[in-house]
Amino acid sequence: HKALMVLASATPSIETYACAQKGRYTLNKLTKRYSASDLPEVRIVDMCLDSLSDSSYFSSELADALKENLETGHQSILLINRRGYNTFASCKSCGYVFTCPSCSISMTYHHANGRMMCHYCGYSQPFTTKCPECSSDNVRYSGYGTQKIEDELSFILPEARILRMDADSTMSRFSHEEKLNSFAKGDYDILLGTQMVAKGLDFENVTLVGVINADVQLNNDDFRSQERTFDLLTQVVGRAGRGKYKGKAIIQTMNPENDVITMASEQDYERFFEDELKIRKMLVYPPYCDICLVGFVGINESMVHTASVKFLDLVKQKLNTDYKDEKVIILGPMPARVSKVSNKFRHRLIIKC
């Protein structure tokens, strides 16, 4: 139909931008921000030096900025890319970890319904302080998500009207739109949420954006983890100061010297792209190759593993005969990062070609 496709983003994917630089796509740059507003002032806070207390997830700088914003009648957005209350529970006596019986993942405690929940299959069980393994009363909960941050925020600013947005609070139909409309009307002072609050929102009265922990995404085992961190930080920082008021963003981190966090705070996509491209080339990742992920899923783990090994043998045979000229790198087979979901085991083979 000879349609024109427009790919638009403040943070295009590395592969897309590489195609644009090579001339495969036409590249059009918007060098100025929409309207006359300036980019917000960005502060990177070292949580090793500026935490309100040993158990607090807020720096004194972010807490003070939130209080000041509240007093001036402006709104704030806080990003924490984890839902739930506590993300990990274990017994201090025997070391037992509360994991989902159907998935190889630890369960998350949800304060709102008083249950431990699996974010993969939806299994849940009642909250407890008694260990099911050794019966000791020594279960401790650690880690944090949106619900726990909401609790601490209510303690720091008891007068603030807080709107939490995550997969738990926006399950009902139209709730997403209704909550954003309420925030736009000024019914709430602070919007706290996961990555759904990071992109595309345009509220004139939002003058402060806070990132609770910029390091969460960086520690994933995905080769795109740095790109996703840069995207998320760049996008959420851009939510502040979009109207007539000057904006400010505060990024909390344990790694203030990290280049990705620094470049995101400076909105320097070009430098990030050049740095990331060097790493991708050295390790042979897109855009220097294509990646095919072949998955094997079944209820019998040994059969799943056997099938994946057999598949690898078949690929090797083809590469030695019909496809001798193809350059291929094969990784695996190996268990997936979450190796069991809903009582089905998962193995994978990664093909770079």
Side-chain angles (χ1 to χ4, degrees), residues 110-336:
H110 285 247
H111 187 59
N113 60 5
R115 298 184 74 84
M116 301 284 293
M117 296 182 70
C118 172
H119 287 173
Y120 278 79
C121 71
Y123 171 85
S124 73
Q125 65 184 53
F127 164 81
T128 181
T129 57
K130 188 178 285 292
C131 175
E133 195 76 16
C134 68
S135 299
S136 71
D137 229 358
N138 203 13
V139 172
R140 294 292 179 268
Y141 291 80
S142 57
Y144 58 94
T146 47
Q147 291 177 16
K148 186 157 191 177
I149 297 301
E150 183 183 19
D151 260 16
E152 187 177 350
L153 193 55
S154 299
F155 177 76
I156 296 169
L157 297 170
E159 69 277 24
R161 297 166 299 168
I162 303 164
L163 173 63
R164 176 170 60 84
M165 285 189 69
D166 53 29
D168 301 309
S169 66
T170 56
M171 288 174 73
S172 60
R173 198 180 179 196
F174 304 126
S175 62
H176 196 271
E177 292 82 358
E178 288 167 1
K179 287 177 185 295
L180 290 179
N181 287 337
S182 294
F183 186 71
K185 287 189 292 185
D187 295 343
Y188 296 94
D189 304 304
I190 301 172
L191 174 59
L192 164 69
T194 53
Q195 59 186 2
M196 64 175 68
V197 306
K199 298 183 180 184
L201 304 182
D202 190 359
F203 302 115
E204 184 180 68
N205 201 35
V206 171
T207 57
L208 175 66
V209 163
V211 179
I212 301 298
N213 184 353
D215 310 318
V216 173
Q217 193 83 43
L218 274 174
N219 299 323
N220 283 356
D221 63 349
D222 186 349
F223 76 91
R224 288 193 176 93
S225 61
Q226 297 209 122
E227 182 182 354
R228 285 177 178 152
T229 299
F230 179 86
D231 288 357
L232 198 59
L233 293 179
T234 302
Q235 296 275 4
V236 76
V237 163
R239 299 312 103 208
R242 298 181 70 84
K244 57 189 175 184
Y245 307 113
K246 177 73 177 167
K248 184 178 183 180
I250 296 174
I251 300 173
Q252 297 186 160
T253 174
M254 295 287 188
N255 303 289
E257 308 300 323
N258 186 285
D259 286 342
V260 175
I261 294 172
T262 304
M263 287 184 281
S265 71
E266 295 169 354
Q267 308 266 299
D268 193 347
Y269 179 83
E270 295 286 348
R271 186 156 70 94
F272 171 75
F273 173 78
E274 293 299 331
D275 284 4
E276 185 68 8
L277 211 57
K278 292 173 188 172
I279 297 169
R280 298 278 184 97
K281 187 174 184 179
M282 187 168 58
L283 299 176
V284 192
Y285 276 116
Y288 295 99
C289 73
D290 285 320
I291 285 189
C292 304
L293 183 68
V294 186
F296 303 86
V297 183
I299 55 173
N300 185 313
E301 187 175 15
S302 64
M303 286 179 70
V304 172
H305 175 69
T306 302
S308 63
V309 172
K310 180 66 177 172
F311 181 88
L312 176 62
D313 291 339
L314 291 170
V315 172
K316 285 178 179 176
Q317 287 175 27
K318 286 290 182 183
L319 289 172
N320 288 330
T321 54
D322 299 355
Y323 301 100
K324 282 184 177 179
D325 298 332
E326 294 293 335
K327 290 183 178 178
V328 173
I329 299 170
I330 301 176
L331 306 175
M334 62 195 131

Side-chain angles (χ1 to χ4, degrees), residues 45-78:
V45 178
D46 187 349
M47 286 300 285
C48 296
L49 304 174
D50 190 29
S51 180
L52 276 176
S53 68
D54 289 343
S55 59
S56 177
Y57 301 106
F58 284 85
S59 63
S60 56
E61 184 168 344
L62 180 55
D64 290 344
L66 286 165
K67 187 175 181 181
E68 184 183 331
N69 233 32
L70 192 61
E71 290 169 351
T72 55
H74 291 152
Q75 293 172 296
S76 308
I77 292 178
L78 291 179

